[in-house]
Amino acid sequence: MKILVTGGLGYIGSHTVVELLNDNYEVIVIDNLSNSKESVKDNIEKITNKEFELVIGDVCNKDIVEDIFKNNKIDAVIHFAGYKAVGESVAKPLMYYHNNLFSTINLLEVMEKYECRRIVFSSSATVYGKPESLPIKEDFKLSTTNPYGTTKLMIEDILRDLYVSNNDWSIAILRYFNPVGAHKSGLIGEDPNGIPNNLMPYIVKVANKELECLSIFGDDYDTKDGTGVRDYIHVVDLSLGHIKAIEYVLKNKGVDEYNLGTGKGYSVLEMVKTFEKVNNVNVNKKIVERRPGDIDACYADSRKAKEILGFEAKKGIEEMCLDSYNYVKKNL
Ligand code: WQD
């Protein structure tokens, strides 16, 4: 079976390519290196002792995408490629709408032309906006508060409409909660360009003395200790969820959405304290104002992915904290 992975050198994409190769899938990656490095390919091949084809190019370039389908029989696609920084999307909405939507429509048009109608799409829990209750179920109301999240919701709607137009499609929409951690080898992990927006990469850089102090955005939320609560899922677990989704779309038809989370929520303070304990380090921290747009708490009802895909996250926050720091100590 040959799988095309768009954005396959990125953080989640690279971990998923490792698991695809481990499961003896043939893999082609298309990546424009806008948020990844070509050296990630070597590290994936070192981890798996297997090779795969890399096409350095942009999914917005339809000719490049078409060449892949002309020269290969692609059985299914995992679509990661897209911009994903919430703050940046607020500042540059057109860049986000153009890149994320245009690339996806290009991809789907070529897939349709070559009658490849199996796709796993990288969506996000951000499509739920501020949930009315917890844990969050897949049939909850959808609403977004930033252009990045809106592109994810728009693409979900495009996929649902596509299935209505042609029931031969098989589409798994995966809504990630908060991916953290890195592969045990320390060869691949999260390399955010510049100052990280997300909690774990920031903690890691403070622990590694690259950044001065962690700002904890608010301790007056309606949560156990007042700091924000999120559903952190190890990136390797998340990648294994994509393997389950690929297996499913190769055998079934239809379109459906699945939460990929652990079903457990942890506060910022719990994450920081766990990180300090398991890594035996101190993380300079201070409480500051809330970050605009943040919500109090967000964690998944993860039962549907387990019941239908047979996916269940196994790794706990201790392992996420250990593996995140291990990667940085070995690489950055
Ligand atoms: C987690 C918690 C912050 C940084 C974002 C995107 C979402 C998805 C995952 C793509 C919150 C607090 C953070 C810091 C802090 N990305 N925090 N200090 O906001 O839940 O989700 O990443 O799909 O779309 O919105 O993740 O890691 O930014 O924040 O106190 O320096 O950590 O307030 O409570 P978030 P995050």
Side-chain angles (χ1 to χ4, degrees), residues 62 102 104-115 162 169:
K62 200 168 190 174
F102 188 51
T104 303
I105 291 167
N106 259 355
L107 172 67
L108 294 172
E109 285 178 335
V110 172
M111 287 177 72
E112 180 57 53
K113 180 174 176 182
Y114 288 84
E115 297 186 344
L162 186 56
W169 279 87

Side-chain angles (χ1 to χ4, degrees), residues 28-314:
I28 300 184
V29 165
I30 178 169
D31 199 302
N32 67 1
L33 305 183
S34 66
N35 195 21
S36 57
K37 295 190 283 278
E38 194 172 351
S39 59
V40 171
K41 177 176 192 289
D42 304 329
N43 289 331
I44 291 171
E45 292 180 339
K46 215 178 279 178
I47 291 169
T48 59
N49 197 25
K50 291 186 179 149
E51 295 184 343
F52 65 94
E53 185 183 345
L54 169 63
V55 174
I56 295 178
D58 198 316
V59 185
C60 286
N61 182 326
K62 200 168 190 174
D63 293 340
I64 293 179
V65 178
E66 179 139 13
D67 281 348
I68 294 171
F69 282 82
K70 240 185 237 152
N71 301 322
N72 298 275
K73 183 186 173 307
I74 303 293
D75 295 290
V77 175
I78 304 181
H79 182 32
F80 290 105
Y83 297 148
K84 60 164 189 168
V86 170
E88 185 183 51
S89 78
V90 175
K92 301 176 182 172
L94 287 181
M95 185 177 100
Y96 271 68
Y97 286 117
H98 182 271
N99 183 69
N100 291 7
L101 298 178
F102 188 51
S103 58
T104 303
I105 291 167
N106 259 355
L107 172 67
L108 294 172
E109 285 178 335
V110 172
M111 287 177 72
E112 180 57 53
K113 180 174 176 182
Y114 288 84
E115 297 186 344
C116 170
R117 299 189 182 103
R118 309 277 176 268
I119 185 168
V120 173
F121 173 60
S122 165
S123 189
S124 164
T126 205
V127 301
Y128 294 113
K130 185 173 172 60
E132 281 158 15
S133 64
L134 291 167
I136 297 175
K137 293 183 178 62
E138 287 85 351
D139 62 358
F140 272 23
K141 189 169 67 65
L142 303 178
S143 74
T144 54
T145 57
N146 58 77
Y148 158 74
T150 305
T151 66
K152 289 298 185 183
L153 185 48
M154 285 175 157
I155 294 167
E156 287 199 12
D157 287 338
I158 290 168
L159 292 169
R160 286 186 277 267
D161 288 346
L162 186 56
Y163 177 70
V164 170
S165 74
N166 180 345
N167 290 174
D168 187 45
W169 279 87
S170 182
I171 302 166
I173 293 168
L174 306 182
R175 292 172 179 163
Y176 309 159
F177 280 69
N178 287 62
V180 295
H183 190 267
K184 278 251 169 301
S185 64
L187 290 171
I188 53 175
E190 191 170 13
D191 292 329
N193 301 330
I195 307 284
N197 295 304
N198 295 138
L199 178 65
M200 185 58 85
Y202 206 105
I203 290 175
V204 163
K205 291 202 170 200
V206 172
N208 211 34
K209 307 269 183 275
E210 294 172 60
L211 291 171
E212 182 60 35
C213 178
L214 170 71
S215 297
I216 297 178
F217 299 141
D219 66 348
D220 57 350
Y221 285 105
D222 179 16
T223 62
K224 54 190 98 167
D225 58 24
T227 62
V229 167
R230 296 293 185 274
D231 184 333
Y232 297 95
I233 178 170
H234 197 292
V235 64
V236 172
D237 272 335
L238 192 63
S239 303
L240 292 169
H242 288 72
I243 304 302
K244 292 290 189 186
I246 275 285
E247 288 168 359
Y248 187 83
V249 299
L250 285 169
K251 288 194 206 109
N252 298 278
K253 295 187 180 168
V255 56
D256 216 339
E257 305 82 15
Y258 306 92
N259 289 337
L260 293 194
T262 63
K264 298 189 203 77
Y266 289 95
S267 74
V268 176
L269 280 175
E270 283 175 319
M271 287 302 277
V272 178
K273 286 180 182 142
T274 302
F275 185 94
E276 290 178 320
K277 178 164 73 65
V278 299
N279 290 304
N280 192 24
V281 288
N282 173 60
V283 173
N284 292 333
K285 59 190 90 59
K286 64 183 175 187
I287 306 288
V288 300
E289 285 306 296
R290 292 183 173 195
R291 178 172 66 177
D294 273 356
I295 59 177
D296 302 56
C298 171
Y299 53 91
D301 179 325
S302 53
R303 285 176 296 177
K304 185 176 174 185
K306 184 175 180 187
E307 284 156 16
I308 298 182
L309 302 180
F311 169 72
E312 190 175 16
K314 298 268 191 287

